[in-house]
Amino acid sequence: MYPIYTHEKSREIFERALKVIPSGLYGHQGPAEGCWMPVEEWPAFTEKAQGSYFWDVDGNKYIDYMCAYGPNILGYNDADVDAAAMEQLKKENCVTAPHKIMVDFAELLVDTVACADWAFFCKNGSDATTGAVMAARSHTHKEKIIFFKGYYHGVHPWSQKIDYPGIVPGDVAGSVYVPWNDEAALEEAFRKNKGKVAAVIGQPYWHGNFADNVLPKEGFWQKVRKLCDENEAALIIDDVRTGWRLDLAGSDHYFGFKADMICFCKALANGYNVSAICGQEKYKNAMSSLSYTGSYWMSAVPFAAGIACINKMKRLGLPKVLNEKGKQLCDGLVEIAKNKGYDLHATGAPSLFYLRLANDDIKGTPSLFLHQKWIAEMVKRGVYLTSHHNHFINASLSDEDIKITLDIANEAFDAL
Ligand SMILES: Cc1ncc(COP(=O)(O)O)c(C=O)c1O
């Protein structure tokens, strides 16, 4: 029997946070968007992390399958990445002119990423998707952006929705929405907006929240590529979440096509804060033309971390290793669920698996109530999962961690 965790200190700190921080904890790491249901089963604050674990402020240890929502790809506090970052920190970080390591990092990305003739650095995934969309608009002198419904490309106004707080109609006037995997709808969107589409932006596969994840249909991306070419629109791939967990050459390469621009963040430097837009030669001048930068965008420490991270991912044979670990875990979970009489769906790439218990679906529509309860039973025994978002595998996850996870899954299903 695994001990049942409680979170008194987390709650205490959360109460303090509510007084001085809007909503206490915001965004995807807060209870609402993190969808900690039932909320009292989740820790709110962490104390330390190592490898594939973190410890919360109450001293509970978790096997962490959220990996900081993606950045942890080699293991928390990876010795090689941290050593490279610390060595750079001794020299300089944020200085009047950038350190030459910025050029080394750009060269490494150009050598590694199939569609990349250049690399442009910023901080967050939202900066990268925004920069790519602006470059597409600058290059094409067109306004419209086609999105696949259920997308997430960050938080900048152009990527939000008309009914979101703080958004005005002008922010999203250029947005056109089509269903994922629907070639005919995309063709129709191009037809209706003839001569106006600057770009199609998409995640490499549908990894939205609250629903099973969906891979591209055979030939889908090739058709998208063709339509973009015919309509002189840029094809932008948002690899912020999937990047480095499908293919080190980019997820477009994995699915057999070439993006015009591709956006990376999250796992790019194993948790150090840097994002990148990589692109084809054709879009380089447009990227140069933008009024686009930030106080910390050329900091050297994350560049050093990024170089060490990419080189280590290559040495370890990622992402194959991550997908094997993910498959071992998902196969085990689905089997245990079946033996206990539950229908557990594991979808998406195994390195970014999405889980959903489907026993209480209502006429094919996910209910998620049962699923949330099972996930909470896992979390309170030390396996950190969320109930509505895809998960992440990191390279330090051991066979023993997977075994413990499966043991806990057995107990969690019994408790359910
Ligand atoms: C697919 C995708 N695009 C963009 C973003 C935005 O990245 P950031 O939160 O670093 O701005 C995210 C973040 O979760 C993401 O998953």
Side-chain angles (χ1 to χ4, degrees), residues 28 124-126 129 152-154 203 207 238 240-241 265-266:
H28 55 282
N124 292 297
S126 304
T129 55
Y152 182 68
H153 299 304
Q203 294 149 186
H207 54 67
D238 178 351
V240 167
R241 197 181 306 180
C265 184
K266 294 194 181 280

Side-chain angles (χ1 to χ4, degrees), residues 2 329 332-334 336-337 340 342 344 374 377-378 381 383 385 402-416:
Y2 287 84
L329 174 76
L333 289 172
V334 169
I336 290 168
K340 303 276 180 187
Y342 289 102
L344 179 65
W374 174 64
E377 294 296 338
M378 296 290 282
R381 290 170 173 80
V383 176
L385 300 162
I402 295 177
K403 187 184 167 303
I404 293 170
T405 305
L406 298 179
D407 283 349
I408 289 179
N410 251 305
E411 286 191 14
F413 278 120
D414 287 342
L416 192 66

Side-chain angles (χ1 to χ4, degrees), residues 6 9 27 34 52 62 72 104 113 130 169 185 212 241 253 258 272 283 293 310 315 324 339 396:
T6 56
K9 282 196 186 143
S52 46
Y62 298 84
N72 177 26
D104 299 336
V113 174
T130 300
D212 294 346
R241 197 181 306 180
H253 185 256
K258 204 166 172 182
Y272 287 83
Y283 290 89
T293 187
I310 290 180
R315 278 201 309 280
E324 285 164 0
N339 293 339
S396 76

Side-chain angles (χ1 to χ4, degrees), residues 95-250:
V95 178
T96 310
H99 191 276
K100 63 179 166 34
I101 200 167
M102 176 177 175
V103 184
D104 299 336
F105 194 23
E107 284 171 349
L108 180 61
L109 281 169
V110 167
D111 286 346
T112 307
V113 174
C115 74
D117 293 317
W118 51 265
F120 180 100
F121 300 110
C122 23
K123 280 291 147 216
N124 292 297
S126 304
D127 306 332
T129 55
T130 300
V133 162
M134 287 172 72
R137 284 175 163 159
S138 166
H139 177 82
T140 60
H141 300 283
K142 296 190 275 190
E143 185 196 356
K144 302 275 181 188
I145 304 295
I146 300 182
F147 300 80
F148 296 107
K149 286 180 187 171
Y151 70 89
Y152 182 68
H153 299 304
V155 291
H156 291 177
W158 65 271
S159 65
Q160 298 212 22
K161 313 275 164 53
I162 184 76
D163 55 345
Y164 285 14
I167 298 301
V168 296
D171 291 331
V172 291
S175 304
V176 176
Y177 309 103
V178 300
W180 169 242
N181 258 343
D182 189 338
E183 294 172 11
L186 183 64
E187 215 162 346
E188 177 64 7
F190 268 117
R191 201 190 55 72
K192 271 196 181 151
N193 296 281
K194 190 105 193 119
K196 294 185 188 155
V197 178
V200 171
I201 184 166
Q203 294 149 186
Y205 69 84
W206 195 92
H207 54 67
N209 297 340
F210 301 102
D212 294 346
N213 288 185
V214 188
L215 296 174
K217 281 196 304 207
E218 186 69 32
F220 178 68
W221 276 121
Q222 288 67 27
K223 177 73 179 178
V224 179
R225 178 70 273 180
K226 188 166 174 284
L227 286 170
C228 286
D229 291 343
E230 285 168 5
N231 290 278
E232 293 175 353
L235 176 48
I236 300 167
I237 288 301
D238 178 351
D239 224 0
V240 167
R241 197 181 306 180
T242 37
W244 319 105
R245 282 186 167 91
L246 289 181
D247 191 327
L248 298 188

